[in-house]
Amino acid sequence: MNTTYLQQFQRALTQLRQRAREFDQQKPTKSFAEQWFADNLFATRSHFAEAYINETEQLVNKLLTITDNERKHYLAQKVSEQVLSLSALLQNSRPPDAQFDQRAHQEAQHGQLHKTLAKYRQYEVRLKNKVEVFQNAGDLSQAQAYQKRLSRCQTAISQVEKQIQIMDEG
């Protein structure tokens, strides 16, 4: 990164920090969900926008010291995505609508339940295959052990399906 680009970027971060402070001061309560951004975009989980600016600045500082080009490219991409997301959030310099925020949180939970269900279904298939392999091999103790795990997996699947149904109805 040459000096001119770095100075421009630092000015942009300074402007974002100022908007983040205004944003944080305008929030009447801390009732907003922490889930403003995608799970993998920030390690920070905060009710304050300025905390996310801090993380981005830390990544920029790390980016300046890294010599590995592949790692540098990854961090530059992440910093870019963080700045774009922060800019979008802070564009109006006011907190998101609480009702919208709650809906977004519920949608994220719903999506997470579906991911969990898919993962459990994959486990179920693998466990069924293991039970069958051990039964065919005549190793009934191993087959029984995997059958118990399969039973617990199917119970977990049932519980997740019930949670999804409750969310769909509610």
Side-chain angles (χ1 to χ4, degrees):
M1 228 183 231
N2 73 31
T3 310
T4 308
Y5 288 126
L6 185 58
Q7 289 170 342
Q8 288 175 346
F9 193 74
Q10 287 174 331
R11 277 196 297 270
L13 277 177
T14 301
Q15 289 174 345
L16 277 176
R17 180 176 297 286
Q18 181 58 39
R19 290 195 338 228
R21 285 182 181 146
E22 293 169 7
F23 177 91
D24 290 341
Q25 289 172 356
Q26 288 179 2
K27 289 191 313 186
T29 67
K30 292 184 183 180
S31 65
F32 298 99
E34 295 176 16
Q35 205 63 31
W36 288 341
F37 306 106
D39 285 340
N40 60 348
L41 187 58
F42 288 96
T44 300
R45 296 290 178 255
S46 176
H47 290 289
F48 299 100
E50 193 168 4
Y52 294 95
I53 301 289
N54 292 338
E55 180 179 332
T56 300
E57 282 183 339
Q58 289 172 355
L59 274 182
V60 169
N61 292 335
K62 186 186 276 188
L63 180 65
L64 296 173
T65 61
I66 290 180
T67 56
D68 176 28
N69 282 337
E70 190 174 316
R71 180 82 174 134
K72 203 174 234 185
H73 178 72
Y74 170 79
L75 284 178
Q77 184 69 31
K78 185 156 186 151
V79 165
S80 174
E81 290 171 7
Q82 286 183 348
V83 168
L84 288 172
S85 295
L86 285 164
S87 295
L89 175 71
L90 300 171
Q91 188 163 2
N92 295 329
S93 292
R94 64 182 221 280
D97 178 77
Q99 281 185 327
F100 174 78
D101 200 43
Q102 188 172 7
R103 269 194 321 266
H105 182 68
Q106 287 175 338
E107 287 173 8
Q109 276 183 320
H110 196 264
Q112 189 61 41
L113 284 173
H114 279 283
K115 284 181 185 176
T116 301
L117 181 61
K119 183 172 65 171
Y120 288 177
R121 291 225 185 263
Q122 289 174 349
Y123 292 156
E124 180 184 33
V125 169
R126 287 194 300 235
L127 289 169
K128 282 180 180 178
N129 289 339
K130 287 284 191 180
V131 167
E132 188 177 319
V133 166
F134 284 115
Q135 283 177 342
N136 291 339
D139 191 347
L140 297 180
S141 64
Q142 282 287 27
Q144 192 175 28
Y146 277 100
Q147 185 63 45
K148 287 179 183 178
R149 289 177 66 188
L150 176 60
S151 178
R152 289 191 303 269
C153 180
Q154 289 169 334
T155 301
I157 287 172
S158 178
Q159 290 173 345
V160 171
E161 287 174 336
K162 285 178 187 175
Q163 288 176 320
I164 290 172
Q165 183 179 5
I166 289 169
M167 287 187 83
D168 286 344
E169 291 171 356

